[in-house]
């Protein structure tokens, strides 16, 4: 920091480059260490007089927050902290100045309690706003040198690394979060809902991002390949499904999670070969695939009695139940759209034959066999949406739209063959449309194709907003470097 001060700070009255010995060292040190008197000019040479005046005011606010100056009437410590963070957010050109001010005040501060407050602000500052590329190496070195003996310095290092990687948390903390942090209660528990009613409980801090939670979750499933980790996503669900969207890896969880929100995780891409070497991995994948199958999103025709019986038997074995099978049990094992269309008696007899062959099969083995069996069905590996109408096609009824990282496809509801396919890389614009009727579903308009042959199509579906957000998520994540 002394080197940075020599190049970029205003020169002190005793110029370090014109003095010798101890006087020079003392003058240099004074540039970057605690002062009990408020500064009269910005530390960094600023040509803008307005910015210089603001820098002086910020330093006073910092001293008031740290306890080096008395607080203004009617303002408490938390409000002063908010003022500092707000000023950092609103004045990008003063962020380096603020970094230098707080580093100066925590260096050789004579009162440990006041110094800790300065460090607590610095640990927040590093998580919200990065210094400039010019100042970054000096701040990094300062934190590294302070880290071995200072827990808050180590935390500041971690926050700064996270900010460099993910861009910094843009939304300021809520008053409740700030109060908890000031009391040393920065850690909070978070529940992630997995497919099939399973839950994963984890802890998050002020600057935990979605990518970190997904990495931890994947570790529980024995997933270590970064490519495979990227195939999972956290979904934000607000007020019983009012808002459903995937969270970007760089999103800070404390900025999006509140009392009205729940987080759900599921696999979005299935490009990495599946491996069943971990029980949690197997069960999590089984429950997600099973949900899609029972909702009718993995297509099986009503006439495929042997296939339906096989999949029903594997579900029964996965529950580790005996051979006894009630009529109600069989229906629960069939895709919902097919329950009134199949010959239940035929399927039941075939299922008993399958159960005899599967005798001795463990629950995990049955789950693996089920996943392997449905992996050959149309739309396996896709996120599936029900589309009510399409602008360019006269379809005989609601259709299934499948979305993966490469493209989206629309199936003809009559013969279940693809009747429309659009590569995500060819998409140019997505636009949400208002419902055509008063109580109808919204629409999503897609502009795609080449400059010579532009194309437009719209889909009417209840989950138009979710589809729009998920397309954007998959398209951008496939373009991002690994």
């Amino acid at each position: 920091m002394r080197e940075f001060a020599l190049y970029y700070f205003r020169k002190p009255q005793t110029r370090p480059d014109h003095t010798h010995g101890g006087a020079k060292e003392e003058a240099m040190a004074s540039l970057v260490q605690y002062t009990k008197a408020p500064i009269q000019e910005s530390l960094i040479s600023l040509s803008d007089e307005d910015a210089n005046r603001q820098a002086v005011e910020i330093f006073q606010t910092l001293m008031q927050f740290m306890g080096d100056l008395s607080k203004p009437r009617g303002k408490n410590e938390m409000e002063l902290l908010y003022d500092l963070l707000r000023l950092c957010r609103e004045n990008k050109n003063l962020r380096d100045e603020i970094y230098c001010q707080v580093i100066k005040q925590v260096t050789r501060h004579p009162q440990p309690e006041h110094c800790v407050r300065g460090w607590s602000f610095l640990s927040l500052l590093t998580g919200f706003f990065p210094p400039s590329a010019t100042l970054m190496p000096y701040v990094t070195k300062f934190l590294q040198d302070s880290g071995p003996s200072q827990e808050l310095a180590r935390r500041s290092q971690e926050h700064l690394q996270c900010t460099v990687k993910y861009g910094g948390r843009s939304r300021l903390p809520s008053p409740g979060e700030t109060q908890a942090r000031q009391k040393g209660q920065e850690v909070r528990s978070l529940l992630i809902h997995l497919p099939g009613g399973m839950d994963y409980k984890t802890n998050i801090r002020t600057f935990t991002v979605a990518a970190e939670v997904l990495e931890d979750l994947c570790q529980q499933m024995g997933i270590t390949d970064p490519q495979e980790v990227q195939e999972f996503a956290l979904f934000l669900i607000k007020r019983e499904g009012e808002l459903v969207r995937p969270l970007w890896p760089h999103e800070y969880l404390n900025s999006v999670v509140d009392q009205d929100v729940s987080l759900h995780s599921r696999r979005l891409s299935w490009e990495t070969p599946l491996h069943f070497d971990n029980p949690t991995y197997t069960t999590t994948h089984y429950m997600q695939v099973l949900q899609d199958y029972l909702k009718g999103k993995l297509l099986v025709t009503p006439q495929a009695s042997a296939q339906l019986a096989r999949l029903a038997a594997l579900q029964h074995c996965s529950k580790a139940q005996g051979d006894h099978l009630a009529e109600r049990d069989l229906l629960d094992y069939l895709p919902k759209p097919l329950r009134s269309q199949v010959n239940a008696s035929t399927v039941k007899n075939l299922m008993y034959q399958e159960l005899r062959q599967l005798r001795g099969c463990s629950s995990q083995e049955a789950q693996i066999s089920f996943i392997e069996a449905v992996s050959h069905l149309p739309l396996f590996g896709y996120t599936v949406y029900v589309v009510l109408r399409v602008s360019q096609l006269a379809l005989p009824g609601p259709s299934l739209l499948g979305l993966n990282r490469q493209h989206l496809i629309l199936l003809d509801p009559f013969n279940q063959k693809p009747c429309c396919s659009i590569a995500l890389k060819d998409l140019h614009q997505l636009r949400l449309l208002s419902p055509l009727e008063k109580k109808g579903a919204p629409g999503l308009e897609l502009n795609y194709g080449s400059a010579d042959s532009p194309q437009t199509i719209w889909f009417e579906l209840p989950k138009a907003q979710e589809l729009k957000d998920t397309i954007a998520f998959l398209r951008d994540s496939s373009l991002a470097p690994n």
Side-chain angles (χ1 to χ4, degrees):
M1 287 304 297
R2 290 186 185 184
E3 182 181 329
F4 180 85
L6 182 61
Y7 289 125
Y8 299 103
F9 276 21
R10 296 179 187 274
K11 302 305 179 188
Q13 290 182 350
T14 306
R15 293 174 62 86
D17 50 342
H18 291 171
T19 54
H20 301 280
K24 180 177 180 179
E25 283 296 313
E26 187 178 339
M28 278 297 302
S30 70
L31 297 175
V32 288
Q33 69 183 36
Y34 163 79
T35 175
K36 64 180 180 180
I39 59 174
Q40 301 304 309
E41 293 181 300
S42 62
L43 299 178
I44 298 174
S45 296
L46 300 173
S47 56
D48 187 287
E49 200 51 47
D50 218 28
N52 178 54
R53 179 185 52 77
Q54 262 197 310
V56 172
E57 292 174 359
I58 289 170
F59 193 82
Q60 288 184 342
T61 304
L62 174 63
M63 293 183 76
Q64 290 163 354
F65 169 71
M66 292 177 65
D68 298 329
L69 284 179
S70 57
K71 297 179 181 63
R73 183 175 296 176
K75 283 214 169 183
N76 59 32
E77 190 176 296
M78 193 176 78
E79 289 170 321
L80 290 168
L81 178 60
Y82 256 84
D83 286 345
L84 288 168
L85 291 174
R86 180 179 52 78
L87 289 164
C88 288
R89 184 179 62 185
E90 294 172 358
N91 300 279
K92 292 183 179 181
N93 59 323
L94 287 176
R95 286 179 188 170
D96 278 3
E97 170 73 17
I98 295 170
Y99 262 98
C100 291
Q101 288 183 7
V102 67
I103 288 173
K104 176 181 177 69
Q105 286 303 92
V106 298
T107 302
R108 296 190 180 179
H109 197 297
Q111 299 185 60
E113 184 183 342
H114 294 192
C115 188
V116 166
R117 289 181 194 168
W119 272 107
S120 71
F121 170 60
L122 183 57
S123 72
L124 275 175
L125 181 63
T126 51
F128 279 99
F129 314 108
S132 68
T134 304
L135 181 57
M136 177 70 80
Y138 297 97
V139 173
T140 302
K141 183 67 166 61
F142 171 78
L143 295 175
Q144 288 172 345
D145 290 345
S146 305
S149 60
Q150 167 65 267
E151 172 62 23
L152 281 170
R154 288 196 294 273
R155 296 286 289 281
S156 298
Q157 272 185 268
E158 294 169 4
H159 296 166
L160 189 57
Q161 289 167 358
C162 188
T163 297
V164 170
K165 187 174 182 179
Y166 299 110
R169 180 176 164 180
S170 56
R171 184 174 163 186
L172 298 185
S174 67
E177 184 187 350
T178 305
Q179 282 181 333
R181 194 176 189 280
Q182 292 298 95
K183 294 176 183 177
Q185 301 168 352
E186 184 187 357
V187 178
R188 61 179 285 196
S189 62
L190 186 68
L191 202 62
I192 310 293
H193 302 286
L194 305 177
M198 298 184 296
D199 291 326
Y200 170 68
K201 191 173 184 179
T202 187
N203 292 324
I204 63 171
R205 295 177 176 272
T206 306
F207 300 109
T208 301
V209 295
E212 294 172 306
V213 169
L214 276 177
E215 286 173 12
D216 290 342
L217 177 58
C218 286
Q219 281 186 355
Q220 298 297 316
M221 292 188 281
I223 299 172
T224 55
D225 180 3
Q227 187 66 42
E228 187 170 9
V229 173
Q230 290 179 11
E231 298 189 359
F232 291 80
L234 290 178
F235 278 76
L236 190 76
I237 299 183
K238 195 169 187 177
R239 294 194 201 94
E240 300 299 322
E242 179 185 320
L243 170 68
V244 181
R245 69 172 181 87
L247 289 181
W248 298 94
H250 60 266
E251 283 193 81
Y252 289 76
L253 292 179
N254 268 323
S255 291
V256 295
V257 174
D258 57 39
Q259 291 181 343
D260 294 331
V261 160
S262 59
L263 286 180
H264 297 247
S265 175
R266 67 175 185 252
R267 188 164 190 153
L268 265 185
S269 301
W270 300 74
E271 297 169 6
T272 306
L274 298 178
H275 50 93
F276 302 107
D277 45 10
N278 180 289
T280 305
Y281 178 100
T282 300
T283 301
T284 302
H285 283 72
Y286 169 74
M287 295 306 295
Q288 178 171 337
V289 169
L290 176 63
Q291 277 189 334
D292 287 346
Y293 172 74
L294 293 178
K295 288 177 181 177
K297 294 181 177 181
L298 300 173
L299 296 170
V300 183
T301 63
Q303 294 75 32
S305 299
Q307 191 176 30
L308 290 168
R310 171 73 176 172
L311 293 172
L314 289 170
Q315 290 176 65
H316 195 70
C317 288
S318 75
K319 295 181 178 179
Q321 301 200 14
D323 290 344
H324 177 71
L325 182 70
E327 193 76 32
R328 182 70 248 173
D329 293 333
L330 172 62
L331 291 177
D332 289 342
Y333 293 144
L334 298 176
K336 194 172 182 179
L338 302 186
R339 290 173 188 174
S340 61
Q341 303 177 38
V342 301
N343 185 321
S345 177
T346 300
V347 174
K348 191 172 183 179
N349 290 334
L350 290 170
M351 184 178 170
Y352 276 125
Q353 294 177 27
E354 292 288 345
L355 287 173
R356 283 193 289 272
Q357 294 179 15
L358 290 169
R359 196 162 287 158
C361 178
S362 70
S363 175
Q364 286 274 300
E365 289 170 340
Q367 290 179 2
I368 294 169
S369 296
F370 182 89
I371 295 171
E372 290 174 340
V374 299
S375 68
H376 301 292
L377 296 177
L379 295 183
F380 177 82
Y382 288 83
T383 300
V384 179
Y385 297 88
V386 177
V387 172
L388 304 179
R389 280 190 286 186
V390 187
S391 60
Q392 299 172 1
L393 302 170
L395 298 176
S399 311
L400 295 182
L401 182 149
L403 173 67
N404 66 14
R405 198 182 291 268
Q406 277 73 44
H407 61 272
L408 61 86
I409 59 171
L410 187 73
L411 301 188
D412 186 311
F414 181 72
N415 56 26
Q416 302 303 347
K417 292 182 179 178
C419 57
C420 174
S421 178
I422 302 172
L424 296 198
K425 64 181 178 61
D426 293 336
L427 287 173
H428 305 307
Q429 188 177 23
L430 307 171
R431 188 165 68 97
L432 207 62
L433 304 175
S434 299
L436 294 173
E437 289 96 19
K438 188 174 182 181
K439 292 187 178 180
L444 181 64
E445 181 182 85
L446 282 65
N447 296 317
Y448 64 101
S450 65
D452 297 333
S453 179
Q455 305 286 324
T456 300
I457 190 171
W458 59 256
F459 303 104
E460 182 186 88
L461 71 163
K463 295 188 175 182
Q465 180 69 62
E466 179 186 340
L467 176 60
K468 177 178 182 289
D469 291 334
T470 307
I471 289 175
F473 180 89
L474 287 172
R475 182 184 60 182
D476 292 356
S477 62
S478 65
L479 295 175
N482 295 329

